[in-house]
Amino acid sequence: MSKEKITIVGGGVAAMTAAVYLTEQEDWQQHREITVYQQGWRLGGKGASGRNQHFGQRIEEHGLHVWFGAYVNSFRTLQGVYNNLDRPASSPLATWQQAFKPHSFIALQEFIDNEWQTWPIDFPTVVGNPADGSLDITVWDFVTMTLAWLKKWTEDIEDVCEQHAKTTLVTKKPRDQFLLKHLYQQIKANIDTQVTSAKQFIDDIESDAAEIISTPRSLLTHLQQFTAQQTTHTDKQADRLVIWYIVRKLKRWFKEQVIELLDDNAQLRRLYICADLAIAMLTGLIKDKVYRDGFGVINCYDFRQWLEKNGANSAYSVNSAPVRGFYDLVFAYPNGDFNKPNVEAGVAALAMLRIGLCYKGGVMWKMQAGMGDVIFAPIYELLKKRGVKFKFFHQLTQLTPGKDSHGQAVVSHIELRQQVSLNSGEYAPLINVKQLPCWPSEPLLDQINPLQAHLLQEYQVNLESFWSDWPEVYEAHFKQPLPSLTLVHGVDFDTLILGVSVASLEHVAADLLSDDNALALQASKVKSVATQACQVWLNKTDQQLGFTDTNSAQEGPILSGFVEPFDTWAAMSNLVDKEAWPDSDPPVNIAYFCSAFTCEHYPPATAHHFPEQMKAEVKHNMQYLFSIDMQALWPHAYTNNKFDWQVFYQDPHSILPVLEQQYWRVNIDPSERYVLSVTGSSKFRLATDGSHYKNLRLTGDWIKTGVNAGCVEAAVMAGMQTSRSLCGFPSQISGEHAFEKG
């Protein structure tokens, strides 16, 4: 029996996840051959990182990458990679627990009275391994979990405003009394009589009083007990109306007694925003029948639109820091237009609920080196050990459709451009930094044909860029085009796993799109956005710069909801000792910044100067960030309202000005842009085998998963789905059915 020849094009999270699971069987090489073709010199896609040998082997990322404690499939996969790689215990980052550390301190920014105020949030640590969690949470489970948080926030609100607001709630209307009596009958045997006003509540119902007296705290306690008895959603209208009535009753109490106190009390305002958002979510989950039809039923709304539709306060909650922070998190600004945020309500609601309610350990987890070092180097080493072949410096240029011998549609040819010639047969991509295998920020030129290596240096060629002029430079010097490689279906490959991102399809698969309407719709309806990032190395700690908010663990913040064009900052001093700075004078701190990048038009590949023009805009944005905006967060870095550029670390071996020694980039390439979830786009996403080409598997965070958003977890789920479609493993993917009917 002949082996299946699998070609993987692209080295991002999804493609590498597929390769990991396809090679889990001990005898996998008896069944298939796997070859990975990768443009340039490194794996990673949007998650690629590199080490800069000219500046202390520092880590240079595409942007800020953090994992959430709810990334069940991602941690499960990574745990398997590290366990199977089985690095010596003496190695740096030998285990995934050493490579990742939980992080609990999040900061959001509020613009109040013409100044930025920090909203610090210290999430509780939840005991457990995120790899052992589950995303197979029903909508009804989310209802009960959200009610628990709503109860806590409401109790805190009562405590804060008990001196100023009435906390007694009166129910008079017969219809509403009927609902409270229905609730009482369901929990009568176990009602908590220790709750304030519970005895009054019971007496009023049992005596059929004209008024039923309760408090927000007691009503929510009774409601929480009521919903906890339901193991799944209820078909009884009365049950649903009970929830509807009580949360609306609570909302009226907020409006009548609490809102007028918000402007003078930041703590109360923040508690109200959380409670008001929870009420809107609960209302929408029930009113829009999400509990029955799945989260996909509300993807026809933008998340803000859906919140407002379900009663969220437009003045305080709809554009609040938590909501803005989420839009910033997923770069939800098509074309980088910050005035037109857009994300599907179902995708956003599900993501927020999972992030806040399903995590293990910390709500976030920080990598303890670059993403390339922590994720892609171990995956590469494991796959190499298992026998997967890697062909670096191969750029996909075209996919051609055709028919197989049975008349079925297939990808018949894969055209690849061979970017460089190697001195020997195989490229060894990794370097060691403090004994840790890492990807360099530049190709290792000593392994490349010397004349080609010289030209790459002389012309500062970026082999990863869509707009690279390398083909013209090469042809001008060698009087012939770069060599190409054509893979033929049935001869060189049987199955193609396409791991490029959605924005690349129009460039490399135009013929496939013209022949497959569903694939063409996916390529046009699932949008992406350019992003920008900068990293700075510092001589001062966050506290010395003037940012003093922290938690009991003294964690630096991951902060969002800030001013554009850089709305997100992460304190990353944990990475200083993973870099190779001089022992006598290293930096003491690192700061990462990122956001969406405004770009409406992408010129053809012949516009070679486009990347530098866009990168210059990022540099301008970076200069503005420090000249003006960061004074709100780092006041001690300014003297007479002017930024002190000497707070930046200056490498003693460099002659460049201190600003030029920092790092900034723009992610505009088709496979680098961040995948969006604009309103109504999820329905156009295809499963991995959803095209009409029998031998094509799509993979990436842009296909149909149980997340449908740009993130590591979606990419991992896509890769798992791809592997399962080919070999049946893994049989289960946690949380993959969230958008479907219950």
Side-chain angles (χ1 to χ4, degrees), residues 395 417-419 455-456 459 461-463 465-483 604-609:
Q395 180 183 12
R417 179 182 290 141
Q418 296 178 274
Q419 295 177 293
L455 291 172
L456 291 173
Y459 288 90
V461 172
N462 179 1
L463 293 173
S465 175
F466 175 77
W467 290 274
S468 172
D469 61 353
W470 177 236
E472 289 87 346
V473 170
Y474 182 95
E475 187 163 1
H477 282 76
F478 294 102
K479 310 305 178 187
Q480 59 183 355
L482 277 166
T606 52
H608 302 310
H609 296 296

Side-chain angles (χ1 to χ4, degrees), residues 1-5 28-33 490 494:
M1 184 175 178
S2 61
K3 299 179 185 180
E4 180 184 15
K5 296 178 181 178
W28 76 270
Q29 291 191 63
Q30 304 301 313
H31 305 284
R32 59 192 75 93
E33 298 175 359
D494 299 306

Side-chain angles (χ1 to χ4, degrees), residues 158 160-166 257 260-261 265 268:
E158 284 192 62
V160 171
C161 68
E162 61 183 3
Q163 306 268 327
H164 310 281
K166 297 177 183 177
Q257 300 291 331
E260 65 181 15
L261 307 175
N265 189 316
L268 187 60

Side-chain angles (χ1 to χ4, degrees), residues 267 533 655 698:
Q267 179 190 8
I655 62 172
L698 310 169

